[in-house]
Amino acid sequence: MKKFYIAITSVLLCSSGIIAQEASYEHPTALRYVGTITDTEPKPISMFTTQNPVNDGAFLWIPAENSVKYNNTSTGVPSSWKWESNGGVIQDASQQNAIIEYNNVGTYNFPKLTANYPTGNSDFQPNLKLKVGGVAELCLADCREWTVTYGLGVNFYDNNNGATNGCLGGTNKLDIAGVGNFYMMSLEEGFLDGVNVYLKTKPTRWKEGAKIRVRVWMAALGENDIQFTYMPLEGAYVKFEDIKTAEDGVWVPVKNGAVIQVKFESPIDLYGKQLLFIDVDGWSNDPATEDFHMLMDVMPNKTMAPEDAANKLAHNSFVRLNGESDYLRPVSYYGGNYGSFMICPVVRGGETPVGSINSVKASDIPELGCRTEGGSVILTGADGTFDVFNIGGTICHSGEITDGNAIIPASTLVPGIYVARNESGQAVKFVIK
């Protein structure tokens, strides 16, 4: 009887045959869906940016003098690795994963990875850029490739007979009073100079005097929720007629889009303010008389395990209903999937002087002032509405500055410390004794 011998060799197979031995790596972990982030060394600091020209073509931004990690995903079994940094300092260029420190402000190409295989070398360098320091407009959408990694649109609600109930993040009949984004910031030495809120189009109809409010809150993490400080760090009201389009010389992310631009007169120092929440509200509940529609990422490249979906910290954007004071539910509860609103903070590294922002235009607003005189508190500044908060964050008085001043009888306020804030977000403190 003849014996047959079969020589067995090990090969890596895929649907088309032998797996290609190719170099590849992931981009640094970005600070979104923070409840799902498991990378801890080094601590993630990258943040996604919009395609606003202020970002110099980069899709990620980090503060200067920080390190990021590029995780190797090469196929096959290379015998060695070689990293080339393109602007940063590599801890060890021969390691499988690269940790690169970027000390100098600028915009840099992603690093090049060479995987050395027994059959030859494979190079990988994606056509992506990283911006280090300077001014950046941030977002929570992965804006690398349109309709592949993100898509901007509006989630409209329609009833059975075709009449609209409005949208998620704008005018609606469904009691959605406000929406907001949760940001984990990565810079200690830097500033938040303003916020841009992007819309599908400039509204064409609204009630006289209609305004949208934008506020920035300092947040803290609970066991599985987000908690706000008792009063916002900054805020502003923007009239519908002041919403801008490309015809006004501003950048917008979609054709015929619009933007609410908020420029803080006093930039927010981000030292000790790692967690921020930025909310937008003020629209009406009548789509027949108003068409305010915020843009959001309607096709986020994100899947989420059930245990993560149940964790509020794993979401980016949240909703507040009429009658509620907190943002209790993520947008996924309201048909928003895991998308994120285009509520975009404009930040500046500590090394960059004020006045380096071209995409957020300042206006000549008289400074809000305050003095006590004859048993009255007199506020001075630009004409418009204002609120007075006590030390606990409760609104104790609301009014309007007319012809440059407003008078508040001191007898209407109990002794204590108060903060007056106008619709431009300017604030001034005063004391009632």
PDB file of all heavy atoms in Angstrom, residues 166-199:
ATOM      1  N   GLY A 166     -41.541  70.128  12.697  1.00  0.00           N
ATOM      2  CA  GLY A 166     -40.287  70.799  13.000  1.00  0.00           C
ATOM      3  C   GLY A 166     -39.122  69.841  12.976  1.00  0.00           C
ATOM      4  O   GLY A 166     -39.142  68.814  12.289  1.00  0.00           O
ATOM      5  N   CYS A 167     -38.096  70.159  13.747  1.00  0.00           N
ATOM      6  CA  CYS A 167     -36.871  69.367  13.670  1.00  0.00           C
ATOM      7  C   CYS A 167     -36.233  69.212  15.038  1.00  0.00           C
ATOM      8  O   CYS A 167     -36.583  69.890  16.008  1.00  0.00           O
ATOM      9  CB  CYS A 167     -35.877  70.006  12.700  1.00  0.00           C
ATOM     10  SG  CYS A 167     -35.131  71.541  13.296  1.00  0.00           S
ATOM     11  N   LEU A 168     -35.283  68.305  15.099  1.00  0.00           N
ATOM     12  CA  LEU A 168     -34.437  68.123  16.273  1.00  0.00           C
ATOM     13  C   LEU A 168     -33.323  69.168  16.196  1.00  0.00           C
ATOM     14  O   LEU A 168     -32.493  69.135  15.295  1.00  0.00           O
ATOM     15  CB  LEU A 168     -33.847  66.705  16.267  1.00  0.00           C
ATOM     16  CG  LEU A 168     -32.844  66.357  17.364  1.00  0.00           C
ATOM     17  CD1 LEU A 168     -33.489  66.450  18.739  1.00  0.00           C
ATOM     18  CD2 LEU A 168     -32.275  64.959  17.143  1.00  0.00           C
ATOM     19  N   GLY A 169     -33.325  70.102  17.140  1.00  0.00           N
ATOM     20  CA  GLY A 169     -32.346  71.184  17.085  1.00  0.00           C
ATOM     21  C   GLY A 169     -32.877  72.379  16.338  1.00  0.00           C
ATOM     22  O   GLY A 169     -32.196  72.954  15.488  1.00  0.00           O
ATOM     23  N   GLY A 170     -34.120  72.763  16.652  1.00  0.00           N
ATOM     24  CA  GLY A 170     -34.692  73.916  15.999  1.00  0.00           C
ATOM     25  C   GLY A 170     -36.183  73.999  16.253  1.00  0.00           C
ATOM     26  O   GLY A 170     -36.723  73.333  17.138  1.00  0.00           O
ATOM     27  N   THR A 171     -36.864  74.818  15.461  1.00  0.00           N
ATOM     28  CA  THR A 171     -38.294  75.016  15.607  1.00  0.00           C
ATOM     29  C   THR A 171     -39.035  73.683  15.568  1.00  0.00           C
ATOM     30  O   THR A 171     -38.846  72.898  14.631  1.00  0.00           O
ATOM     31  CB  THR A 171     -38.811  75.916  14.477  1.00  0.00           C
ATOM     32  OG1 THR A 171     -37.931  77.034  14.310  1.00  0.00           O
ATOM     33  CG2 THR A 171     -40.207  76.415  14.780  1.00  0.00           C
ATOM     34  N   ASN A 172     -39.869  73.410  16.583  1.00  0.00           N
ATOM     35  CA  ASN A 172     -40.566  72.123  16.617  1.00  0.00           C
ATOM     36  C   ASN A 172     -41.809  72.207  17.492  1.00  0.00           C
ATOM     37  O   ASN A 172     -41.921  73.082  18.349  1.00  0.00           O
ATOM     38  CB  ASN A 172     -39.630  71.020  17.130  1.00  0.00           C
ATOM     39  CG  ASN A 172     -39.349  71.134  18.606  1.00  0.00           C
ATOM     40  OD1 ASN A 172     -40.062  70.565  19.438  1.00  0.00           O
ATOM     41  ND2 ASN A 172     -38.305  71.891  18.958  1.00  0.00           N
ATOM     42  N   LYS A 173     -42.719  71.251  17.285  1.00  0.00           N
ATOM     43  CA  LYS A 173     -43.948  71.147  18.071  1.00  0.00           C
ATOM     44  C   LYS A 173     -43.854  70.079  19.153  1.00  0.00           C
ATOM     45  O   LYS A 173     -44.859  69.756  19.784  1.00  0.00           O
ATOM     46  CB  LYS A 173     -45.120  70.809  17.152  1.00  0.00           C
ATOM     47  CG  LYS A 173     -45.503  71.882  16.158  1.00  0.00           C
ATOM     48  CD  LYS A 173     -46.703  71.431  15.342  1.00  0.00           C
ATOM     49  CE  LYS A 173     -47.150  72.495  14.367  1.00  0.00           C
ATOM     50  NZ  LYS A 173     -48.329  72.048  13.565  1.00  0.00           N
ATOM     51  N   LEU A 174     -42.672  69.519  19.365  1.00  0.00           N
ATOM     52  CA  LEU A 174     -42.537  68.329  20.200  1.00  0.00           C
ATOM     53  C   LEU A 174     -41.902  68.613  21.557  1.00  0.00           C
ATOM     54  O   LEU A 174     -41.347  67.721  22.185  1.00  0.00           O
ATOM     55  CB  LEU A 174     -41.723  67.267  19.456  1.00  0.00           C
ATOM     56  CG  LEU A 174     -42.312  66.853  18.106  1.00  0.00           C
ATOM     57  CD1 LEU A 174     -41.412  65.851  17.410  1.00  0.00           C
ATOM     58  CD2 LEU A 174     -43.716  66.284  18.267  1.00  0.00           C
ATOM     59  N   ASP A 175     -41.966  69.866  22.000  1.00  0.00           N
ATOM     60  CA  ASP A 175     -41.491  70.264  23.330  1.00  0.00           C
ATOM     61  C   ASP A 175     -39.981  70.193  23.487  1.00  0.00           C
ATOM     62  O   ASP A 175     -39.474  70.193  24.614  1.00  0.00           O
ATOM     63  CB  ASP A 175     -42.158  69.416  24.428  1.00  0.00           C
ATOM     64  CG  ASP A 175     -43.525  69.939  24.807  1.00  0.00           C
ATOM     65  OD1 ASP A 175     -43.824  71.103  24.454  1.00  0.00           O
ATOM     66  OD2 ASP A 175     -44.296  69.204  25.433  1.00  0.00           O
ATOM     67  N   ILE A 176     -39.226  70.107  22.404  1.00  0.00           N
ATOM     68  CA  ILE A 176     -37.767  70.136  22.500  1.00  0.00           C
ATOM     69  C   ILE A 176     -37.351  71.601  22.607  1.00  0.00           C
ATOM     70  O   ILE A 176     -37.417  72.361  21.646  1.00  0.00           O
ATOM     71  CB  ILE A 176     -37.116  69.460  21.289  1.00  0.00           C
ATOM     72  CG1 ILE A 176     -37.494  67.975  21.256  1.00  0.00           C
ATOM     73  CG2 ILE A 176     -35.599  69.621  21.334  1.00  0.00           C
ATOM     74  CD1 ILE A 176     -37.025  67.240  20.015  1.00  0.00           C
ATOM     75  N   ALA A 177     -36.933  71.993  23.818  1.00  0.00           N
ATOM     76  CA  ALA A 177     -36.689  73.409  24.104  1.00  0.00           C
ATOM     77  C   ALA A 177     -35.248  73.828  23.895  1.00  0.00           C
ATOM     78  O   ALA A 177     -34.959  75.010  23.688  1.00  0.00           O
ATOM     79  CB  ALA A 177     -37.100  73.723  25.538  1.00  0.00           C
ATOM     80  N   GLY A 178     -34.306  72.891  23.972  1.00  0.00           N
ATOM     81  CA  GLY A 178     -32.894  73.245  23.833  1.00  0.00           C
ATOM     82  C   GLY A 178     -32.071  72.020  23.530  1.00  0.00           C
ATOM     83  O   GLY A 178     -32.476  70.884  23.834  1.00  0.00           O
ATOM     84  N   VAL A 179     -30.912  72.225  22.932  1.00  0.00           N
ATOM     85  CA  VAL A 179     -29.963  71.139  22.670  1.00  0.00           C
ATOM     86  C   VAL A 179     -28.560  71.635  23.006  1.00  0.00           C
ATOM     87  O   VAL A 179     -28.314  72.842  23.073  1.00  0.00           O
ATOM     88  CB  VAL A 179     -30.018  70.642  21.203  1.00  0.00           C
ATOM     89  CG1 VAL A 179     -31.389  70.079  20.866  1.00  0.00           C
ATOM     90  CG2 VAL A 179     -29.651  71.768  20.242  1.00  0.00           C
ATOM     91  N   GLY A 180     -27.646  70.706  23.242  1.00  0.00           N
ATOM     92  CA  GLY A 180     -26.286  71.115  23.574  1.00  0.00           C
ATOM     93  C   GLY A 180     -25.277  70.020  23.347  1.00  0.00           C
ATOM     94  O   GLY A 180     -25.627  68.832  23.234  1.00  0.00           O
ATOM     95  N   ASN A 181     -24.007  70.410  23.286  1.00  0.00           N
ATOM     96  CA  ASN A 181     -22.878  69.490  23.097  1.00  0.00           C
ATOM     97  C   ASN A 181     -22.009  69.451  24.340  1.00  0.00           C
ATOM     98  O   ASN A 181     -21.722  70.495  24.942  1.00  0.00           O
ATOM     99  CB  ASN A 181     -22.004  69.940  21.919  1.00  0.00           C
ATOM    100  CG  ASN A 181     -22.585  69.559  20.579  1.00  0.00           C
ATOM    101  OD1 ASN A 181     -23.673  68.998  20.495  1.00  0.00           O
ATOM    102  ND2 ASN A 181     -21.857  69.875  19.515  1.00  0.00           N
ATOM    103  N   PHE A 182     -21.559  68.254  24.678  1.00  0.00           N
ATOM    104  CA  PHE A 182     -20.628  68.046  25.786  1.00  0.00           C
ATOM    105  C   PHE A 182     -19.221  67.933  25.214  1.00  0.00           C
ATOM    106  O   PHE A 182     -18.952  67.100  24.351  1.00  0.00           O
ATOM    107  CB  PHE A 182     -21.005  66.768  26.540  1.00  0.00           C
ATOM    108  CG  PHE A 182     -20.003  66.357  27.587  1.00  0.00           C
ATOM    109  CD1 PHE A 182     -19.701  67.195  28.639  1.00  0.00           C
ATOM    110  CD2 PHE A 182     -19.392  65.124  27.518  1.00  0.00           C
ATOM    111  CE1 PHE A 182     -18.786  66.813  29.608  1.00  0.00           C
ATOM    112  CE2 PHE A 182     -18.474  64.727  28.485  1.00  0.00           C
ATOM    113  CZ  PHE A 182     -18.173  65.571  29.523  1.00  0.00           C
ATOM    114  N   TYR A 183     -18.329  68.792  25.692  1.00  0.00           N
ATOM    115  CA  TYR A 183     -16.937  68.797  25.227  1.00  0.00           C
ATOM    116  C   TYR A 183     -15.985  68.515  26.383  1.00  0.00           C
ATOM    117  O   TYR A 183     -16.107  69.120  27.456  1.00  0.00           O
ATOM    118  CB  TYR A 183     -16.565  70.158  24.627  1.00  0.00           C
ATOM    119  CG  TYR A 183     -17.042  70.366  23.212  1.00  0.00           C
ATOM    120  CD1 TYR A 183     -18.242  71.026  22.955  1.00  0.00           C
ATOM    121  CD2 TYR A 183     -16.304  69.901  22.129  1.00  0.00           C
ATOM    122  CE1 TYR A 183     -18.684  71.228  21.659  1.00  0.00           C
ATOM    123  CE2 TYR A 183     -16.737  70.093  20.827  1.00  0.00           C
ATOM    124  CZ  TYR A 183     -17.927  70.759  20.598  1.00  0.00           C
ATOM    125  OH  TYR A 183     -18.357  70.951  19.309  1.00  0.00           O
ATOM    126  N   MET A 184     -15.061  67.602  26.152  1.00  0.00           N
ATOM    127  CA  MET A 184     -13.921  67.446  27.040  1.00  0.00           C
ATOM    128  C   MET A 184     -12.761  68.183  26.380  1.00  0.00           C
ATOM    129  O   MET A 184     -12.268  67.773  25.324  1.00  0.00           O
ATOM    130  CB  MET A 184     -13.564  65.977  27.266  1.00  0.00           C
ATOM    131  CG  MET A 184     -12.325  65.782  28.132  1.00  0.00           C
ATOM    132  SD  MET A 184     -11.973  64.038  28.529  1.00  0.00           S
ATOM    133  CE  MET A 184     -13.146  63.791  29.855  1.00  0.00           C
ATOM    134  N   MET A 185     -12.351  69.288  26.978  1.00  0.00           N
ATOM    135  CA  MET A 185     -11.303  70.108  26.394  1.00  0.00           C
ATOM    136  C   MET A 185      -9.937  69.552  26.764  1.00  0.00           C
ATOM    137  O   MET A 185      -9.766  68.906  27.795  1.00  0.00           O
ATOM    138  CB  MET A 185     -11.425  71.555  26.873  1.00  0.00           C
ATOM    139  CG  MET A 185     -12.818  72.156  26.713  1.00  0.00           C
ATOM    140  SD  MET A 185     -13.426  72.155  25.013  1.00  0.00           S
ATOM    141  CE  MET A 185     -12.400  73.431  24.285  1.00  0.00           C
ATOM    142  N   SER A 186      -8.944  69.830  25.924  1.00  0.00           N
ATOM    143  CA  SER A 186      -7.632  69.228  26.128  1.00  0.00           C
ATOM    144  C   SER A 186      -6.558  70.235  26.508  1.00  0.00           C
ATOM    145  O   SER A 186      -5.405  69.868  26.661  1.00  0.00           O
ATOM    146  CB  SER A 186      -7.202  68.512  24.839  1.00  0.00           C
ATOM    147  OG  SER A 186      -7.148  69.419  23.750  1.00  0.00           O
ATOM    148  N   LEU A 187      -6.924  71.503  26.657  1.00  0.00           N
ATOM    149  CA  LEU A 187      -5.880  72.484  26.913  1.00  0.00           C
ATOM    150  C   LEU A 187      -6.113  73.184  28.245  1.00  0.00           C
ATOM    151  O   LEU A 187      -7.225  73.583  28.577  1.00  0.00           O
ATOM    152  CB  LEU A 187      -5.789  73.512  25.780  1.00  0.00           C
ATOM    153  CG  LEU A 187      -6.933  74.496  25.533  1.00  0.00           C
ATOM    154  CD1 LEU A 187      -6.469  75.567  24.558  1.00  0.00           C
ATOM    155  CD2 LEU A 187      -8.144  73.819  24.979  1.00  0.00           C
ATOM    156  N   GLU A 188      -5.043  73.284  29.018  1.00  0.00           N
ATOM    157  CA  GLU A 188      -5.064  74.020  30.276  1.00  0.00           C
ATOM    158  C   GLU A 188      -4.661  75.474  30.048  1.00  0.00           C
ATOM    159  O   GLU A 188      -5.242  76.383  30.625  1.00  0.00           O
ATOM    160  CB  GLU A 188      -4.103  73.366  31.282  1.00  0.00           C
ATOM    161  CG  GLU A 188      -4.601  72.034  31.825  1.00  0.00           C
ATOM    162  CD  GLU A 188      -5.706  72.200  32.864  1.00  0.00           C
ATOM    163  OE1 GLU A 188      -5.989  73.349  33.229  1.00  0.00           O
ATOM    164  OE2 GLU A 188      -6.271  71.191  33.296  1.00  0.00           O
ATOM    165  N   GLU A 189      -3.681  75.683  29.195  1.00  0.00           N
ATOM    166  CA  GLU A 189      -3.229  77.046  28.895  1.00  0.00           C
ATOM    167  C   GLU A 189      -3.810  77.463  27.548  1.00  0.00           C
ATOM    168  O   GLU A 189      -3.232  77.225  26.495  1.00  0.00           O
ATOM    169  CB  GLU A 189      -1.703  77.115  28.871  1.00  0.00           C
ATOM    170  CG  GLU A 189      -1.071  76.852  30.225  1.00  0.00           C
ATOM    171  CD  GLU A 189       0.431  77.042  30.199  1.00  0.00           C
ATOM    172  OE1 GLU A 189       0.946  77.465  29.135  1.00  0.00           O
ATOM    173  OE2 GLU A 189       1.072  76.778  31.223  1.00  0.00           O
ATOM    174  N   GLY A 190      -4.991  78.046  27.611  1.00  0.00           N
ATOM    175  CA  GLY A 190      -5.653  78.458  26.388  1.00  0.00           C
ATOM    176  C   GLY A 190      -6.984  79.106  26.692  1.00  0.00           C
ATOM    177  O   GLY A 190      -7.364  79.277  27.858  1.00  0.00           O
ATOM    178  N   PHE A 191      -7.707  79.474  25.639  1.00  0.00           N
ATOM    179  CA  PHE A 191      -8.918  80.267  25.801  1.00  0.00           C
ATOM    180  C   PHE A 191     -10.005  79.797  24.844  1.00  0.00           C
ATOM    181  O   PHE A 191      -9.723  79.302  23.752  1.00  0.00           O
ATOM    182  CB  PHE A 191      -8.616  81.748  25.541  1.00  0.00           C
ATOM    183  CG  PHE A 191      -7.577  82.324  26.454  1.00  0.00           C
ATOM    184  CD1 PHE A 191      -6.221  82.270  26.124  1.00  0.00           C
ATOM    185  CD2 PHE A 191      -7.938  82.885  27.672  1.00  0.00           C
ATOM    186  CE1 PHE A 191      -5.257  82.788  26.961  1.00  0.00           C
ATOM    187  CE2 PHE A 191      -6.974  83.406  28.526  1.00  0.00           C
ATOM    188  CZ  PHE A 191      -5.635  83.349  28.172  1.00  0.00           C
ATOM    189  N   LEU A 192     -11.231  79.979  25.288  1.00  0.00           N
ATOM    190  CA  LEU A 192     -12.394  79.822  24.427  1.00  0.00           C
ATOM    191  C   LEU A 192     -12.833  81.223  24.027  1.00  0.00           C
ATOM    192  O   LEU A 192     -13.284  82.008  24.858  1.00  0.00           O
ATOM    193  CB  LEU A 192     -13.515  79.086  25.175  1.00  0.00           C
ATOM    194  CG  LEU A 192     -14.855  78.966  24.451  1.00  0.00           C
ATOM    195  CD1 LEU A 192     -14.697  78.199  23.142  1.00  0.00           C
ATOM    196  CD2 LEU A 192     -15.875  78.276  25.339  1.00  0.00           C
ATOM    197  N   ASP A 193     -12.649  81.545  22.749  1.00  0.00           N
ATOM    198  CA  ASP A 193     -12.902  82.907  22.284  1.00  0.00           C
ATOM    199  C   ASP A 193     -14.314  83.115  21.766  1.00  0.00           C
ATOM    200  O   ASP A 193     -14.774  84.253  21.683  1.00  0.00           O
ATOM    201  CB  ASP A 193     -11.911  83.269  21.177  1.00  0.00           C
ATOM    202  CG  ASP A 193     -10.527  83.551  21.726  1.00  0.00           C
ATOM    203  OD1 ASP A 193     -10.386  84.496  22.519  1.00  0.00           O
ATOM    204  OD2 ASP A 193      -9.589  82.829  21.378  1.00  0.00           O
ATOM    205  N   GLY A 194     -14.996  82.041  21.410  1.00  0.00           N
ATOM    206  CA  GLY A 194     -16.334  82.199  20.862  1.00  0.00           C
ATOM    207  C   GLY A 194     -16.924  80.859  20.484  1.00  0.00           C
ATOM    208  O   GLY A 194     -16.308  79.806  20.685  1.00  0.00           O
ATOM    209  N   VAL A 195     -18.116  80.893  19.929  1.00  0.00           N
ATOM    210  CA  VAL A 195     -18.824  79.694  19.496  1.00  0.00           C
ATOM    211  C   VAL A 195     -19.513  80.001  18.173  1.00  0.00           C
ATOM    212  O   VAL A 195     -20.132  81.066  18.019  1.00  0.00           O
ATOM    213  CB  VAL A 195     -19.883  79.247  20.533  1.00  0.00           C
ATOM    214  CG1 VAL A 195     -20.659  78.032  20.021  1.00  0.00           C
ATOM    215  CG2 VAL A 195     -19.232  78.941  21.872  1.00  0.00           C
ATOM    216  N   ASN A 196     -19.407  79.080  17.227  1.00  0.00           N
ATOM    217  CA  ASN A 196     -20.153  79.159  15.974  1.00  0.00           C
ATOM    218  C   ASN A 196     -21.194  78.047  15.953  1.00  0.00           C
ATOM    219  O   ASN A 196     -20.859  76.879  16.203  1.00  0.00           O
ATOM    220  CB  ASN A 196     -19.226  79.009  14.771  1.00  0.00           C
ATOM    221  CG  ASN A 196     -18.328  80.214  14.575  1.00  0.00           C
ATOM    222  OD1 ASN A 196     -18.679  81.322  14.962  1.00  0.00           O
ATOM    223  ND2 ASN A 196     -17.165  79.998  13.978  1.00  0.00           N
ATOM    224  N   VAL A 197     -22.429  78.386  15.667  1.00  0.00           N
ATOM    225  CA  VAL A 197     -23.521  77.411  15.556  1.00  0.00           C
ATOM    226  C   VAL A 197     -23.987  77.418  14.107  1.00  0.00           C
ATOM    227  O   VAL A 197     -24.445  78.460  13.596  1.00  0.00           O
ATOM    228  CB  VAL A 197     -24.691  77.776  16.495  1.00  0.00           C
ATOM    229  CG1 VAL A 197     -25.805  76.749  16.356  1.00  0.00           C
ATOM    230  CG2 VAL A 197     -24.211  77.849  17.937  1.00  0.00           C
ATOM    231  N   TYR A 198     -23.872  76.275  13.436  1.00  0.00           N
ATOM    232  CA  TYR A 198     -24.154  76.213  12.006  1.00  0.00           C
ATOM    233  C   TYR A 198     -25.577  75.727  11.735  1.00  0.00           C
ATOM    234  O   TYR A 198     -26.086  74.821  12.397  1.00  0.00           O
ATOM    235  CB  TYR A 198     -23.134  75.333  11.307  1.00  0.00           C
ATOM    236  CG  TYR A 198     -21.764  75.975  11.288  1.00  0.00           C
ATOM    237  CD1 TYR A 198     -20.762  75.556  12.156  1.00  0.00           C
ATOM    238  CD2 TYR A 198     -21.502  77.036  10.422  1.00  0.00           C
ATOM    239  CE1 TYR A 198     -19.519  76.174  12.157  1.00  0.00           C
ATOM    240  CE2 TYR A 198     -20.262  77.662  10.418  1.00  0.00           C
ATOM    241  CZ  TYR A 198     -19.274  77.226  11.280  1.00  0.00           C
ATOM    242  OH  TYR A 198     -18.057  77.851  11.286  1.00  0.00           O
ATOM    243  N   LEU A 199     -26.200  76.354  10.723  1.00  0.00           N
ATOM    244  CA  LEU A 199     -27.581  76.092  10.356  1.00  0.00           C
ATOM    245  C   LEU A 199     -27.660  75.627   8.905  1.00  0.00           C
ATOM    246  O   LEU A 199     -26.770  75.911   8.091  1.00  0.00           O
ATOM    247  CB  LEU A 199     -28.432  77.353  10.510  1.00  0.00           C
ATOM    248  CG  LEU A 199     -28.285  78.169  11.792  1.00  0.00           C
ATOM    249  CD1 LEU A 199     -29.201  79.391  11.736  1.00  0.00           C
ATOM    250  CD2 LEU A 199     -28.593  77.319  13.011  1.00  0.00           C
TER     251      LEU A 199
END
